[in-house]
Amino acid sequence: EPRFKEVGVDNLADAEVVDDAPPRFASTRTEHAAASGCQCTPQGCNCPGDSAAEPPIPSEEQVAEQRQGQMKAALADIKDEIVMTAHQIKDEKKWVHEVYKIVEEYNKKIKRVAGNVKYLQKKIQKLLLKKKQIENMILQNKLTAKLKEATKDLRVLNNALENVGTKKQKFEQSKSEVKNTIAAIKQQIEKLQSGGEEQE
């Protein structure tokens, strides 16, 4: 109960109540224990040389309980490691699967490219054949034009031979040369035509 502080009056009703007043009786036991080097707690004091300050020997139940706690902790660690390892295995399998898919796609692409290369090779062979045929046609046209020109020259020479008797020998020689030229051109045209038919 709080004490009543005297204020110089006899009536207790006029007294002032003080809540933070110190206890009525001061304890000296704790001070004595502290002076003796003891360690005090609400449960009691342990002093040097006191047999109660020595650690107690654990019982079999306590030892078993401690071992059980250690095994539980070790089991929890092993479980965590198992879960972590399982996640690593899952990630590695996923990586292998992704790499396998990439390799498979590359193999398919290689086959497609190889097939396309064969197709392009055949295509270029056909284009080279057409190129040769067109070149032969162009050459034939040129030779045909030369043949017409030579034929025209031959007619002129024939007309000249008919009109000029004195230059007959010279014109005959020119005529022979023109005939040889015409024969050579015809032979080239025949070769080109026969070659084009064989390639077709």
Side-chain angles (χ1 to χ4, degrees):
E1 295 180 357
R3 296 173 59 221
F4 293 97
K5 183 179 179 182
E6 295 182 357
V7 292
V9 294
D10 295 332
N11 191 357
L12 293 178
D14 297 332
E16 180 182 0
V17 178
V18 180
D19 292 334
D20 55 353
R24 181 175 299 178
F25 300 100
S27 176
T28 60
R29 182 179 179 182
T30 302
E31 295 175 357
H32 176 73
S36 301
C38 300
Q39 296 179 354
C40 294
T41 63
Q43 286 76 21
C45 296
N46 293 325
C47 299
D50 191 356
S51 60
E54 297 179 359
I57 298 174
S59 62
E60 293 182 0
E61 290 80 2
Q62 291 175 339
V63 172
E65 184 177 358
Q66 184 178 6
R67 289 179 179 176
Q68 187 73 11
Q70 292 175 350
M71 287 189 292
K72 286 182 179 180
L75 180 60
D77 292 339
I78 292 173
K79 287 181 178 180
D80 292 340
E81 189 171 357
I82 290 172
V83 172
M84 182 178 66
T85 305
H87 282 299
Q88 290 178 348
I89 293 173
K90 183 178 179 182
D91 293 339
E92 294 294 336
K93 285 184 176 180
K94 183 178 179 182
W95 181 84
V96 170
H97 180 68
E98 293 295 330
V99 171
Y100 176 78
K101 286 173 62 178
I102 294 172
V103 172
E104 189 176 8
E105 288 295 327
Y106 272 106
N107 289 333
K108 290 180 180 179
K109 188 172 182 180
I110 289 171
K111 291 181 180 179
R112 289 197 300 268
V113 171
N116 192 38
V117 167
K118 290 182 179 179
Y119 166 77
L120 294 175
Q121 287 175 343
K122 291 181 179 180
K123 183 177 180 180
I124 198 170
Q125 289 177 354
K126 292 180 179 179
L127 292 173
L128 288 172
L129 180 60
K130 290 182 178 180
K131 174 179 174 288
K132 185 65 176 177
Q133 291 174 348
I134 293 172
E135 288 176 350
N136 288 341
M137 290 177 63
I138 292 172
L139 184 57
Q140 288 178 24
N141 292 333
K142 289 181 179 180
L143 292 174
T144 301
K146 288 184 178 181
L147 179 60
K148 289 180 179 180
E149 186 178 354
T151 303
K152 182 179 178 181
D153 293 340
L154 180 59
R155 283 198 299 266
V156 172
L157 290 173
N158 287 331
N159 293 330
L161 286 173
E162 292 177 358
N163 298 327
V164 182
T166 56
K167 296 182 179 180
K168 182 177 179 180
Q169 185 177 0
K170 188 174 181 179
F171 280 112
E172 285 294 336
Q173 184 178 357
S174 298
K175 180 180 178 181
S176 177
E177 292 177 355
V178 171
K179 284 183 177 181
N180 291 335
T181 302
I182 292 172
I185 292 172
K186 287 182 177 180
Q187 187 178 3
Q188 289 184 6
I189 292 174
E190 289 176 358
K191 286 183 179 180
L192 291 172
Q193 289 177 346
S194 61
E197 291 176 356
E198 291 178 359
Q199 290 176 355
E200 291 177 359

